[in-house]
Amino acid sequence: MKHLVTALAFAAFMVTANAHAEIRFGVVNEAYPPYTTKDASGKSVGWEIDLMDALCEDLKEKCTIVDVAWDGLIPALESKKIDVIWSSMSITDERKKRIDFTDKYYSALAGMVGPKDGVMGAATEQLKGKTIGIAVSTTQSMYFKKHFADIATERSYSTVDESFQDLASGRIDYVFADTGPLKEFLKTDLGKGCCEYKGSVAPDDAILGAGVGGGVRKGDDELREKLNAAIKAVRASGKYAEFSKKYFDYDPY
């Protein structure tokens, strides 16, 4: 009996020790450069993928990527299909009602792009009467409803890329999104030909959040703290700055 108890205790220890032997990172299944996109072979690449690889190297853990639609990320986490949301999800009070977050790993700013012949600015006086393209289920959509719904029209898109197509063809007046994807769009032939960055919106941390973090299940403190420690270690080692130079001319943190 003593040996049986010992064996059961050891087995329980091993289950706990290996609870996150493989960490499944939920990554949105759409192009969101420079943070995530697919290369010609279909492999996920981008700044967030480089950061994920650096964290997993520090943790000495096996990490896998699970493609998930943006509006399915939190349900996939809650149903244990993934272990962490790793897709430029802003840390907001509303989302914290359902999930926990790691420390932030980059700061997300929100702004507008529009046609080159339009006025500059991203405030009420510039947006009055305009149609603004916004990806569904985003903090930008919530921000619009609070700050601009009475003076402009929101047009919803499944992805930011879809809104860029309509902007370039003149079907909408602005696209409202995180500045990272906006500036990547302006580097493309389509973006360079039609559009320019109009400006950032006024801060609203209650909606836009206090940075971007990894989403974990409520109560999964072990994984959250492991990821927090790895984020700090990767920044302290200089790896964060090293791979960030491939994508940005500034420190995204």
Side-chain angles (χ1 to χ4, degrees):
M1 184 67 178
K2 179 180 178 182
H3 293 298
L4 177 60
V5 172
T6 302
L8 290 172
F10 179 75
F13 169 78
M14 290 304 294
V15 168
T16 301
N18 292 308
H20 292 296
E22 179 181 10
I23 304 175
R24 296 165 300 169
F25 283 72
V27 175
V28 71
N29 61 356
E30 63 186 69
Y32 198 66
Y35 303 108
T36 56
T37 188
K38 303 278 191 182
D39 66 12
S41 69
K43 178 184 176 183
S44 292
V45 295
W47 183 87
E48 277 184 293
I49 306 305
D50 285 359
L51 177 58
M52 181 198 78
D53 289 341
L55 298 184
C56 294
E57 181 180 356
D58 181 82
L59 291 169
K60 298 179 173 56
E61 300 271 14
K62 178 183 178 182
C63 297
T64 57
I65 292 174
V66 180
D67 287 341
V68 185
W70 170 256
D71 57 3
L73 283 166
I74 291 179
L77 181 68
E78 292 175 326
S79 62
K80 299 186 178 182
K81 293 178 181 177
I82 59 175
D83 301 306
V84 55
I85 295 171
W86 203 252
S87 281
S88 294
M89 184 168 280
S90 297
I91 303 167
T92 67
D93 289 341
E94 187 64 28
R95 287 172 177 151
K96 285 194 285 186
K97 293 176 183 178
R98 293 180 65 179
I99 65 175
D100 289 337
F101 282 93
T102 67
D103 295 339
K104 76 163 186 177
Y105 56 81
Y106 81 86
S107 297
L109 301 176
M112 306 266 186
V113 292
K116 290 181 178 180
D117 59 358
V119 297
M120 294 298 293
T124 302
E125 55 268 29
Q126 290 87 33
L127 303 179
K128 188 173 182 179
K130 303 298 184 181
T131 299
I132 303 173
I134 307 173
V136 297
S137 302
T138 58
T139 54
Q140 286 79 34
S141 181
M142 291 186 284
Y143 187 101
F144 176 92
K145 289 173 174 62
K146 178 179 176 180
H147 295 280
F148 301 134
D150 59 338
I151 56 99
T153 300
E154 178 182 14
R155 184 169 295 176
S156 297
Y157 294 86
S158 298
T159 68
V160 177
D161 274 355
E162 289 179 7
S163 66
F164 290 148
Q165 296 293 328
D166 272 7
L167 177 65
S169 62
R171 287 189 284 269
I172 57 176
D173 301 298
Y174 289 86
V175 169
F176 181 26
D178 286 343
T179 55
L182 295 181
K183 291 185 177 181
E184 286 298 303
F185 165 65
L186 295 177
K187 295 177 185 177
T188 66
D189 290 341
L190 182 65
K192 286 186 288 188
C194 73
C195 306
E196 64 187 354
Y197 189 74
K198 295 299 186 180
S200 300
V201 298
D204 187 338
D205 286 353
I207 293 178
L208 296 177
V212 166
V216 298
R217 280 184 291 279
K218 283 285 186 183
D220 198 349
D221 297 334
E222 179 190 357
L223 177 58
R224 180 172 56 83
E225 290 306 319
K226 285 169 64 173
L227 290 169
N228 284 344
I231 291 168
K232 290 176 183 175
V234 168
R235 278 190 56 77
S237 70
K239 290 181 182 177
Y240 184 100
E242 183 180 341
F243 64 72
S244 292
K245 289 177 183 177
K246 296 190 297 181
Y247 304 94
F248 310 106
D249 56 4
Y250 59 91
D251 180 358
Y253 191 79

